[in-house]
Amino acid sequence: MGVFTNREMANPSPKATVPASQEPQTLSSTAAAAAAAAAADAATSTESDVRSNPFEPLIRRFFQNVGVGDPGAENYDSKDFYSNLLCNTLKTHTVRRGHITCIATVNPSISNHYGGLHGGAVAAIAERVAIATATTVIGVDKEIFLVDLGISYLSAAPKDAELIVDGSVVRSGRNITVVSVEFKMKKTGKLAFTSRATFHNKPLSKL
């Protein structure tokens, strides 16, 4: 135990007048107040940015025009609606080994905002035709898996237009089958889209 003189006891140092336990509490309260003020400023700034965004009405109108938020969009969650949508668009014309020809019609259900064939619909049709074409060579009893699908969009296909979709097997081996798909306007013969699909055949050989 230390020994204190009467003078020290009568005149304690300034540090002794402030308990050490109170210092962190004071700093903590100050930091919390600063954080709250910063959060309030950020919220005010965000609200101001939202109110002052000149593109918000245009963006909302665009989404409404393409059907986002339309209650009818819930029907797209029904079982196998994807297949039904394409079946109503795609009709088989000829089938032979290594080659399939179909007719695709640009219906409103697969049209984009500008009335032409939607790019996603092009890819979906190309995938279906490529699978069917590959099956004519490898057989229906062997499973295949799509590993690559490339699309080239060369021209637009307007609403109600008909396209000739030709699928041809480029190469088919033990493990890999490659299919080329071309979309041509039925009326003019103009090439609109091209696609190339690569499939893995199952079972795969062991490495």
Side-chain angles (χ1 to χ4, degrees):
M1 181 175 181
V3 178
F4 297 93
T5 63
N6 293 334
R7 183 177 181 181
E8 290 175 341
M9 296 180 64
N11 301 305
S13 62
K15 294 183 178 179
T17 60
V18 180
S21 61
Q22 293 182 4
E23 294 180 0
Q25 295 178 359
T26 303
L27 293 175
S28 176
S29 300
T30 303
D41 292 342
T44 303
S45 177
T46 302
E47 293 176 358
S48 176
D49 292 342
V50 172
R51 288 194 301 266
S52 61
N53 186 356
F55 300 104
E56 182 178 358
L58 296 176
I59 294 172
R60 290 182 179 275
R61 191 179 306 115
F62 171 79
F63 282 128
Q64 290 173 357
N65 291 337
V66 298
V68 175
D70 187 352
E74 297 178 358
N75 296 331
Y76 292 96
D77 294 333
S78 61
K79 183 178 179 180
D80 210 23
F81 183 86
Y82 172 74
S83 296
N84 294 333
L85 183 66
L86 292 185
C87 287
N88 293 332
T89 302
L90 198 62
K91 305 298 180 184
T92 304
H93 186 264
T94 58
V95 178
R96 64 178 186 269
R97 178 177 172 81
H99 186 87
I100 285 182
T101 299
C102 299
I103 304 297
T105 305
V106 184
N107 296 326
S109 59
I110 57 172
S111 298
N112 56 27
H113 178 62
Y114 304 100
L117 182 60
H118 194 284
V122 174
I125 293 173
E127 179 192 17
R128 286 300 175 95
V129 172
I131 291 173
T133 305
T135 303
T136 65
V137 173
I138 65 175
V140 295
D141 57 339
K142 195 171 186 179
E143 295 184 357
I144 59 176
F145 299 91
L146 180 68
V147 296
D148 183 71
L149 180 66
I151 307 288
S152 294
Y153 299 91
L154 308 177
S155 179
K159 181 180 177 182
D160 297 328
E162 289 187 330
L163 297 99
I164 300 175
V165 186
D166 284 319
S168 302
V169 174
V170 177
R171 180 172 66 90
S172 183
R174 182 179 180 184
N175 297 327
I176 297 292
T177 298
V178 181
V179 179
S180 174
V181 181
E182 291 186 344
F183 295 71
K184 295 181 179 179
M185 303 298 296
K186 183 179 180 181
K187 187 175 181 180
T188 63
K190 182 180 180 181
L191 185 63
F193 317 105
T194 62
S195 175
R196 192 178 183 92
T198 302
F199 298 94
H200 270 312
N201 308 334
K202 186 181 178 182
L204 300 176
S205 61
K206 296 182 180 180
L207 299 178

